[in-house]
Every structure is written in C-alpha cells, then in structure tokens.
Amino acid sequence: MIIGSKERLPILASDREEKFPVLPLRTGVLFPGMMLTIQVGRHDNLLLIEQSKSGKKQFIASYSPPRYSESEPAPIHQVGVLAVVRDIRPGPGNSEIVTIEGIKRIVISKIVQTKPYIVAAANYLQPHDKASRNVQVKMDEVMSVVKEITGLDPTYSPEQLNVLKMNRDEHSLAADMVASTYHFPLEAKQDLLETVNLELRFERLLNYLNAELSRVVTAHNINANVQKNIEEEQKRHFLRQQLHEIRKLLGEDFAEEKEAARIRNIIKNTPNMPPEVVARGTIEADRLSQLSTASAEYGVTKNYLDWLLALPWGKCKPEDYSMSEVEKVLSTEYYGPVSLKEQILQRLSVRKLLGGVNEGPTLCLIGAHGTGIAAIAKAIAKAMGKEFIRISVGGISEVSEIKGMPRTFLGAMPGKIIRALRDAGTCDPVMLIEDIDYFNIENDSSVNMALLEAIDNRVNSRFLDNYIGVPFDLSKVVFICSVRSYEEIPEQFIPRFEIIELPGYIEKEKIVITKRYIIPKLLKKHGITKTELKFTDRILARIINHYTMEAGLLGLSQQLEKICRKVALEKVSKRRKSWSMTERNLETYLGPPVYIPEKAEIQPEIGIAAGLAWTGAGGDLMFIEGLKMKGEGQIFTTGSLGEVMKESIQAAYSYVRSKADMLGIDFGDFSDFDVHIHFPSGAIPKDGPSAGVTVCLVIASVMAERPIRNDIAMTGEITLRGKVLSVGGIKEKVSAAFRAGIYNVAIPKENQKDLKDLPKEILRKTKFTLIERVDDLFELCLLDFTPSSYTLEKIFQEEIKKAKKKKPRATKSKTKAAKPKSKK
C-alpha cells in the first residue's frame, strides 16, 4: 500500500518508468546526501540488501509507519529516497547492521511486485529552481536557531553547526542536513522530505526547530535547577562536615544530633502514631539537629517534641469488660439510686457494642458537694478497667486554658485536656470535669465553645490543640461533667448534655455510707484500727443532725476527720488504747452543737403549720407562722422571700377568701383585718411554689381562728381553683419530717410515684395522705372544723338541679335546704 503525499509533486516528464526495489524504513527517514544506519531483520529485506551490497545497485528507501502486522505488506510513503548500501555488519541474531546513503528524492507511482521483496515503478522529480531572497533569509534564521539549540543541548555536537555553515549555499542540502540531524518526530521528517518547494520547506523546518528549541530550553532549565540544588546540597554537606571537624577539635559532644536521632528512633518505633504526627515530628527533629543547644529556639523545639511524643497516640485499653461485672462493681463502690446505675449500664452497653466509641450526648451529673459524683465516676472507671482523671475547670476564662497557646508565645503549653491525657498515659480514660458552675464566669461564648469542642462527641474525634498543632482523637474518652444545679449549666452545653440529678442523702443513707466507705478510709488515713475507734448509729445520727446541714457527706466527713485527728493525738501520747464515741464525750471532740434541728410543736396552735422545704443542704422542716391584726385587709410577708413564693402566698389568700362560707369566716374580716405571714430563718433566701398548701392552711387557720394539727407536715403547690400540684424533692422532704418526729405527711397525689425511693423504715412508720384539693387539707388539719355548710351547699346545688326537672317541688326543696343555714 502506498501512502500518498499531501503536497503537489513536480514529477519529471519521462517516456518510461524505472523500476527499483523498495526497502521500508521503520526507525528513521533517509534524506538525500545523508547516511542512515539501520538494523535489517526481515527475510525479504535481507535478500534485497544482499543483492545491493556491491554499492552499485540502487533501491528506494521509504518511511513505513509501524501500523501493520507481520503477515501483511508494509505500507510505504509515496516520496522516498534513491539509496545505495555503504556498509554491512552482522547484527544480533540473524539480523544485519546496514549503513545506507541517500542520493536524491524519488516518487513511487505503483508497486510492481511484492515477492521476494517489494519492487515499485518510480519517477524522478524536477530539479530545484534558483533560491530566492526569502529562502536566504530563512536560511539565516535556521542557522540562528540551530546555534541556540547547539549551545543549550550538549547532545548536539558543535561540529554540526560548522558543517552546516560550510553548506549554507546548498540550500536544499542544508535543509535536509538539519532535518536529518535534529530530533524531530518521524512524521515531521517525512513531511520535510515530501516538501519539495524550498521556501515552504524552510518555513516548516523553522517551525519544527522552534518546537525543538522550546523543549531544549525547558530541559535545560530543569537540569540547571537540579544541578543548582545538588550543588547547594553538596555545599551544605561540605560545610556541615567542616563544622563537625571543628567541633570535634573543640571537644563538643554533638548533643543536638544525638537528641534528634533519639527522637527519630522514638517516632519510628511508636505504633499507632498518625501519619500527620509522624511527619510533623520528623520535620521538627530535623530542625532540632540544625540548632545550637545554646539557642532559645532549641529549647522551644525540644519542649514541643517532648510534648508531642509523650501523648498517648492510639494507646487504648480493650473494651473487654462484662456488663455483669460492671454492675457488680457499681453496686459495691457506689451507694445510690438504682435508676442512676441502670442509666450508666445502658450507656456502657452502647459503648461496648460500638467498640469503644461514644456517640451519645455527654453525661452531666447534677448534685451538691458530697452527693457521690466523684464516687460514681471512679466506680465507672474501675468497672471498665480505665484510668480515672479528675480535673476542675472552675475559674477558667480564656480559650488558651482549654485549647492551649500557640508555640510562638513565651511560656506556651497545651491546654488542660491534653495535659491530663499526657499524665494518664492513655487515650480512653474516664475524665470527670468538675465545677462547670464556676466555669467562665464572664460567660464568653468562645470559651464555652472551646470546652464543648473537647467534650462533644460529634466533633472531638479531631480535637485541635493550638500548641500541639495536629488533631488528637478524644472520641474514646468517657467525659463526665458535674454541676451543683441545672440553672448553673451554661446555655451552650444544655443541648449536648444528658442530665442526671443526684438527690441528697437522707439520714439513714448517710449512716450506711459513712459506716461502709467513709469511716474505714479515715481510719486508714489516720493510722487507727477498727477496734480502737468505734461509732454507733446513734452517734452518727447526732453528728449528722447537730453538726452538719447538707445534702451530701462532705461536712460529715470533715467532722469525723476532726475526731480521728484528736484520737490520733491521744494514741501517740499513749493516754488511752480504745475510744468509743458517746453523747457525753462527743462535745469534747467536736464542741457544742452547731445546728438545732426543728421539732414538732408540743400542741396544736392557731396560725402555725409544719411545711416541708428542699434546700441545697437537703430536706428541711419549716414552720410557717401567721397572725391577723386590725387593719385594712392587706397581707404582709417576711422571711427573705422570692417572687414565686410571694405570688404563691397571694394565690392562697385569694383562695381562702373564696371559701369564706365553707370555713365559717365573715367576709367583713378580710377588709377589717390584715394578715402577716412569716417564714423563719430570715437570713436565708427562700423561693418556690411548694409552700402553697401550707400558707393556705395558715391563712385559713388565722382567719377562721381554728388550730392546726401539730403532728402533720405538708408540701404542695396550689392553684386559684384549689388544686394541689406536684412538687420536687419528696424524698428529702419526707426524711426531714421523719427526723423531726412527724410521722404524718400530706403530699400531692401526683407525687405518689416518688415514694418508692424512700427507705423501708420511713415507709413503714410514716402515714401518707395524698391530696388533690386544698379542701381535703382543711378537713384533715384544721381542728374543730366540720364542713356542714359545705355539705349543705352541695345539697342545695343538687336540689336546684332536681327543681329544673320537677317545677312544683322546686320551692319546697329550696326552702328546706335553707332552714339549717338560717338556724346557724
């Protein structure tokens, strides 16, 4: 197959066509006047070379692009070069290395035969016209470009430029010489071979030369940059070696290089270290090796690397704990509500199923000091087999204290979270964060968000400390926060917290916890044995009631510690060998009682009722007093009351006025008398609606002049319609009544479910009255109260309903119902 030329060819007119053998060229293009060395391996081509080796028999050398299979004849270009063989040498295998020389261009018209090799009929081309001035100008441009290429690329011999200058008058030969010598694509060379017109050939030759020049310039720049870098590296290495020899002569010990090598070894041998940490550590170690130990930057870099390598990257303990064992440990180490333990077991079950990752909200425990928050956190850590960390964030007001300070600042160091993990040596400890209520007093939202970024399980898998500079995974840390009350939790934290309230301990629970946990720990701490110092339940109850007023056990522990210190002094002085606390000698160790518990009144009185209150110290008995006096129908309140409590008093007063008929109160009394309500302990602020039923009873008592039972305590919120609503802290309130010797308690009916949390002893001895309306409380607590008018009023209303159905009997029923009222 013949590949036709794209150009119009000036074929020399002739009467006959000459026939020549054709040698297809795959690896090069032969130009007239040029030599080309090729490797011939095909049988038909070897036969052609064998017949032409004398150098006298001519053949056509035509470029054959590699687009055919071995079984098909090779396609050849229409324009080739008439050539002769100049040299033959044996090649590898059965091939031969042949050097051929081109004589002149020739045009193949048709293929005559293909066996034993290709034979084609061909025509000669017309001779070139005289070169024009444009050809001479382009020849000069070619020479200029060739000079540039030769100067930049060492692969081109400078002699080629000289040879080209010697043949600059032979324009066609010079163009063919450049096309043959320089590294053009084979298709480009064939294009130049087929271009017979000199002016067009030089134009295309310039285009190809400019492309080659661009390639050569790019390669030269790359090589120059590489050479420059190599020279700089060699220079640094040479100077480093000189410095090494100088320091060696001065007797220096190369401490920075040894330290850098040690750090690289630690990085290499530390498993589970993230790739970004490895990269940062390697860079800093290389910098350290270049610094002098006397420079300030050396100390900063060394300190940073110490922190980076000391962190527990990927050091986690397996989640192989069993839930039965966890439940057993929680029951042994912590004495508290069963519901709290169940919630913790549920959270740990989810964590175990997820392979140690926390997906839910952060646990927040609300309770007063000494209510066992730290104890439950320690129990969780022990049950899971994790390290326990306890940190306080109280007083923190800057982001840098949470997320660290950048290394560029003097005295910079990581934040509190990262420092705690470094001390723990593991990336999955149980971390108790205390004093959230004292955190960020100025309420700077950026500080709140910094802490939330650390403890929020949604985003803390890549927590970025400003000092460390690379993310640290906090998603496996079990964060537990603690706060005293719900109102003191920062606003940004509430949506991401699972809040669990820890109720205060009652007296019975305090005694059990003290004997089981606190006393053995204090005895061991002070070097006293169990047989040397003994406490009875009665003595512990006296200390709880007369020397402490708290919901937790912190104050009780401090009082017992005072006793232990005095006993330790007596033991060292060898005054006694055993001690037993009694009511007689208790004041010797603790002094006179600090608190006097409230007790029930000796007899019923008008205008005084026992209310139940919940405070930060637990449940308390509060006697609410009231009296009436001549006035203008006003109501006065004293006792440091809050707005909610004042509104509750006003609602109670209005309800009593609405029930004046039922209570037997003259309506004129409400305008002729003032009522004064007083809450004791005026120095202590009080607020809340739970004293509503008690206040209502006191107002009814003073206005109706009926005494109130002294053996009953009550709590509940009231509405203007007389309904009693549920309140909180039932467990603590009932326990306060029990301590005061009051075994009758009135509570809202809706709070019946809260009685299950009370100890069995209180449930057995206390009688509970569930009230839905205040009217029930009047009948229960007011002495000499018979709601006859109330009963007649109900009868009266029923008779009216009957009268609507039976009109003749309506007047009689109404008259009969009114007679008892007129007699009264």
Side-chain angles (χ1 to χ4, degrees):
M1 181 181 70
I2 299 174
I3 301 174
S5 174
K6 298 178 182 178
E7 304 294 333
R8 185 174 179 276
L9 301 174
I11 299 175
L12 183 66
S14 175
D15 295 337
R16 62 186 180 87
E17 293 180 335
E18 296 191 34
K19 297 179 181 178
F20 297 96
V22 179
L23 177 65
L25 301 178
R26 297 185 185 178
T27 59
V29 176
L30 182 64
F31 286 87
M34 300 292 108
M35 288 193 178
L36 180 66
T37 301
I38 58 174
Q39 181 179 357
V40 180
R42 286 174 61 99
H43 177 72
D44 51 349
N45 294 336
L46 287 173
L47 182 61
L48 188 152
I49 295 298
E50 183 66 23
Q51 294 180 3
S52 306
K53 65 181 180 179
S54 61
K56 294 181 180 180
K57 186 174 181 180
Q58 298 177 343
F59 59 89
I60 299 175
S62 177
Y63 172 61
S64 174
R67 297 189 305 228
Y68 64 93
S69 62
E70 292 291 333
S71 59
E72 296 178 357
I76 55 177
H77 277 274
Q78 183 181 10
V79 179
V81 175
L82 203 60
V84 293
V85 177
R86 294 302 182 194
D87 184 44
I88 300 176
R89 288 172 292 160
N94 296 323
S95 65
E96 291 181 349
I97 306 300
V98 181
T99 301
I100 59 178
E101 180 183 2
I103 299 174
K104 59 181 177 181
R105 287 174 172 80
I106 196 168
V107 180
I108 299 174
S109 59
K110 61 181 178 180
I111 296 175
V112 178
Q113 68 180 50
T114 57
K115 299 295 182 180
Y117 44 78
I118 300 175
V119 177
N123 297 315
Y124 296 103
L125 294 172
Q126 293 180 3
H128 304 291
D129 297 333
K130 185 177 180 180
S132 63
R133 182 174 180 82
N134 290 337
V135 173
Q136 185 63 41
V137 171
K138 293 185 181 299
M139 179 67 189
D140 294 339
E141 292 179 9
V142 168
M143 295 288 290
S144 176
V145 176
V146 166
K147 184 177 181 181
E148 288 186 44
I149 295 175
T150 307
L152 293 174
D153 193 345
T155 59
Y156 294 116
S157 174
E159 295 297 326
Q160 294 176 353
L161 183 62
N162 296 330
V163 173
L164 191 60
K165 289 179 179 180
M166 293 170 60
N167 295 281
R168 65 183 304 167
D169 295 333
E170 296 290 334
H171 299 96
S172 179
L173 179 62
D176 291 343
M177 187 181 298
V178 172
S180 175
T181 304
Y182 285 84
H183 302 157
F184 301 153
L186 296 180
E187 289 78 6
K189 290 187 176 186
Q190 179 64 32
D191 183 34
L192 292 172
L193 180 65
E194 293 178 1
T195 307
V196 180
N197 184 279
L198 280 178
E199 187 173 347
L200 183 59
R201 192 191 311 175
F202 272 100
E203 184 177 343
R204 293 182 180 179
L205 181 62
L206 275 173
N207 292 335
Y208 293 131
L209 280 173
N210 287 327
E212 178 66 9
L213 178 61
S214 299
R215 185 193 67 80
V216 169
V217 169
T218 303
H220 176 75
N221 292 336
I222 294 173
N223 293 334
N225 291 335
V226 171
Q227 185 65 27
K228 183 179 178 181
N229 293 336
I230 292 174
E231 290 175 357
E232 290 178 356
E233 188 65 30
Q234 289 175 344
K235 181 180 177 181
R236 284 196 296 268
H237 178 72
F238 178 72
L239 293 175
R240 200 175 294 118
Q241 287 298 113
Q242 282 187 328
L243 180 62
H244 179 79
E245 293 298 328
I246 292 171
R247 293 175 60 185
K248 189 175 180 181
L249 292 174
L250 292 174
E252 296 184 4
D253 56 355
F254 308 102
E256 63 275 9
E257 294 184 3
K258 292 180 181 178
E259 184 64 21
R262 183 187 70 85
I263 291 172
R264 292 191 193 96
N265 188 48
I266 293 175
I267 294 173
K268 182 179 179 181
N269 296 326
T270 302
N272 303 324
M273 185 175 284
E276 50 197 339
V277 179
V278 173
R280 175 61 64 87
T282 305
I283 292 171
E284 296 297 330
D286 293 341
R287 290 184 66 247
L288 189 69
S289 64
Q290 307 297 325
L291 299 173
S292 171
T293 53
S295 66
E297 191 176 358
Y298 178 87
V300 173
T301 306
K302 173 70 166 54
N303 189 41
Y304 171 76
L305 284 170
D306 289 342
W307 272 107
L308 189 69
L309 299 180
L311 293 179
W313 300 102
K315 294 181 181 178
C316 299
K317 295 185 178 179
E319 305 286 329
D320 55 357
Y321 47 85
S322 65
M323 298 313 298
S324 59
E325 189 65 26
V326 171
E327 185 177 4
K328 182 179 178 181
V329 172
L330 289 177
S331 301
T332 305
E333 299 293 328
Y334 175 72
Y335 186 88
V338 177
S339 59
L340 172 60
K341 298 177 184 178
E342 289 178 352
Q343 286 180 285
I344 292 172
L345 288 173
Q346 293 166 6
R347 290 178 63 92
L348 295 184
S349 300
V350 174
R351 177 185 172 92
K352 185 177 177 66
L353 292 174
L354 294 177
V357 178
N358 300 315
E359 293 291 345
T362 305
L363 182 64
C364 180
L365 302 178
I366 298 179
H369 294 299
T371 51
I373 293 177
I376 189 65
K378 288 180 182 177
I380 292 173
K382 184 177 180 180
M384 298 175 67
K386 309 287 185 183
E387 296 292 330
F388 176 68
I389 305 175
R390 188 175 183 177
I391 64 174
S392 172
V393 294
I396 290 179
S397 58
E398 294 183 2
V399 174
S400 59
E401 297 182 59
I402 300 294
K403 298 189 65 178
M405 187 178 295
R407 283 193 294 158
T408 53
F409 291 89
L410 184 64
M413 63 187 306
K416 206 157 194 173
I417 304 293
I418 294 296
R419 296 202 303 268
L421 290 175
R422 193 276 304 266
D423 296 338
T426 177
C427 68
D428 61 344
V430 176
M431 185 177 293
L432 175 62
I433 302 178
E434 297 182 296
D435 302 324
I436 296 288
D437 39 351
Y438 297 110
F439 171 72
N440 190 19
I441 301 299
E442 298 177 357
N443 198 25
D444 184 355
S445 59
S446 61
V447 182
N448 289 340
M449 295 308 296
L451 181 58
L452 192 62
E453 186 179 340
I455 65 177
D456 189 354
N457 296 322
R458 298 176 302 173
V459 296
N460 63 1
S461 60
R462 291 184 64 82
F463 174 72
L464 184 63
D465 186 274
N466 294 328
Y467 181 83
I468 300 300
V470 289
F472 191 92
D473 186 5
L474 296 179
S475 62
K476 294 188 177 181
V477 179
V478 182
F479 287 105
I480 301 175
C481 298
S482 71
V483 68
R484 289 183 305 173
S485 63
Y486 180 85
E487 292 75 15
E488 295 174 334
I489 302 176
E491 180 182 356
Q492 293 90 341
F493 289 70
I494 294 176
R496 295 307 305 161
F497 275 172
E498 180 181 350
I499 297 173
I500 300 177
E501 294 193 23
L502 273 66
Y505 295 116
I506 61 175
E507 179 184 313
K508 188 71 175 178
E509 292 173 334
K510 289 183 178 181
I511 293 173
V512 173
I513 296 172
T514 302
K515 294 175 68 176
R516 185 180 297 181
Y517 302 106
I518 297 178
I519 292 178
K521 183 174 69 174
L522 291 177
L523 293 179
K524 183 179 180 181
K525 181 179 178 181
H526 292 85
I528 304 171
T529 61
K530 294 180 180 179
T531 57
E532 291 175 338
L533 179 59
K534 296 180 180 179
F535 295 91
T536 62
D537 291 357
R538 187 173 179 179
I539 290 299
L540 292 175
R542 184 171 180 82
I543 296 174
I544 292 169
N545 294 324
H546 291 81
Y547 292 90
T548 65
M549 183 180 287
E550 58 179 351
L553 296 161
L554 187 60
L556 176 60
S557 178
Q558 293 172 351
Q559 297 298 328
L560 293 176
E561 198 166 355
K562 289 181 182 179
I563 297 174
C564 290
R565 286 197 296 267
K566 292 186 177 182
V567 169
L569 177 60
E570 294 177 1
K571 181 179 179 180
V572 172
S573 303
K574 298 182 179 180
R575 300 176 190 172
R576 298 171 61 182
K577 293 184 178 180
S578 62
W579 293 262
S580 179
M581 293 294 106
T582 63
E583 292 185 6
R584 292 182 179 180
N585 63 6
L586 185 61
E587 293 189 13
T588 306
Y589 291 91
L590 296 179
V594 180
Y595 304 102
I596 300 175
E598 295 281 1
K599 295 294 182 182
E601 294 293 325
I602 300 175
Q603 59 184 6
E605 294 184 24
I606 295 175
I608 183 168
L612 297 174
W614 184 91
T615 65
D620 194 13
L621 190 67
M622 182 169 55
F623 289 97
I624 301 175
E625 302 172 345
L627 57 83
K628 72 176 182 177
M629 49 197 170
K630 283 288 185 177
E632 299 177 352
Q634 298 183 14
I635 182 166
F636 302 98
T637 58
T638 54
S640 299
L641 308 183
E643 289 298 323
V644 176
M645 186 167 281
K646 289 179 180 179
E647 293 174 359
S648 180
I649 293 172
Q650 188 62 50
Y653 183 72
S654 299
Y655 182 76
V656 172
R657 288 186 63 179
S658 69
K659 294 296 181 179
D661 286 344
M662 184 187 74
L663 295 169
I665 303 172
D666 189 352
F667 276 110
D669 291 350
F670 289 102
S671 57
D672 297 337
F673 291 92
D674 293 337
V675 177
H676 186 172
I677 303 298
H678 175 68
F679 288 73
S681 302
I684 302 174
K686 309 169 190 68
D687 204 359
S690 62
V693 294
T694 313
V695 173
C696 190
L697 187 62
V698 169
I699 294 173
S701 172
V702 296
M703 297 303 294
E705 298 183 352
R706 291 190 177 94
I708 302 174
R709 287 173 56 184
N710 63 323
D711 61 344
I712 189 169
M714 64 207 71
T715 183
E717 178 184 356
I718 67 165
T719 66
L720 279 176
R721 294 180 295 169
K723 289 185 177 181
V724 181
L725 305 180
S726 62
V727 293
I730 292 296
K731 178 183 176 182
E732 291 81 2
K733 293 176 179 179
V734 173
S735 300
F738 187 81
R739 286 197 307 269
I742 298 177
Y743 303 113
N744 293 296
V745 179
I747 63 172
K749 188 174 182 179
E750 294 179 3
N751 286 112
Q752 184 177 4
K753 62 183 183 300
D754 299 323
L755 299 179
K756 63 180 181 179
D757 296 330
L758 291 170
K760 294 181 180 179
E761 182 182 359
I762 296 179
L763 290 174
R764 187 172 64 253
K765 292 185 178 182
T766 304
K767 180 181 178 182
F768 295 97
T769 302
L770 304 177
I771 52 177
E772 292 184 273
R773 298 186 58 83
V774 185
D775 302 343
D776 302 333
L777 195 64
F778 292 158
E779 185 176 355
L780 177 68
C781 300
L782 290 177
L783 299 180
D784 302 328
F785 174 70
T786 53
S788 56
S789 60
Y790 176 67
T791 306
L792 292 173
E793 184 180 354
K794 289 178 67 176
I795 296 173
F796 181 72
Q797 294 294 335
E798 292 175 1
E799 291 296 332
I800 290 177
K801 291 180 181 179
K802 291 179 180 179
K804 290 179 179 180
K805 296 180 180 180
K806 301 178 181 180
K807 292 183 179 179
R809 299 179 60 184
T811 306
K812 289 184 179 180
S813 61
K814 185 175 180 181
T815 306
K816 289 180 182 179
K819 283 182 180 179
K821 187 173 182 180
S822 62
K823 286 181 181 179
K824 181 179 177 182

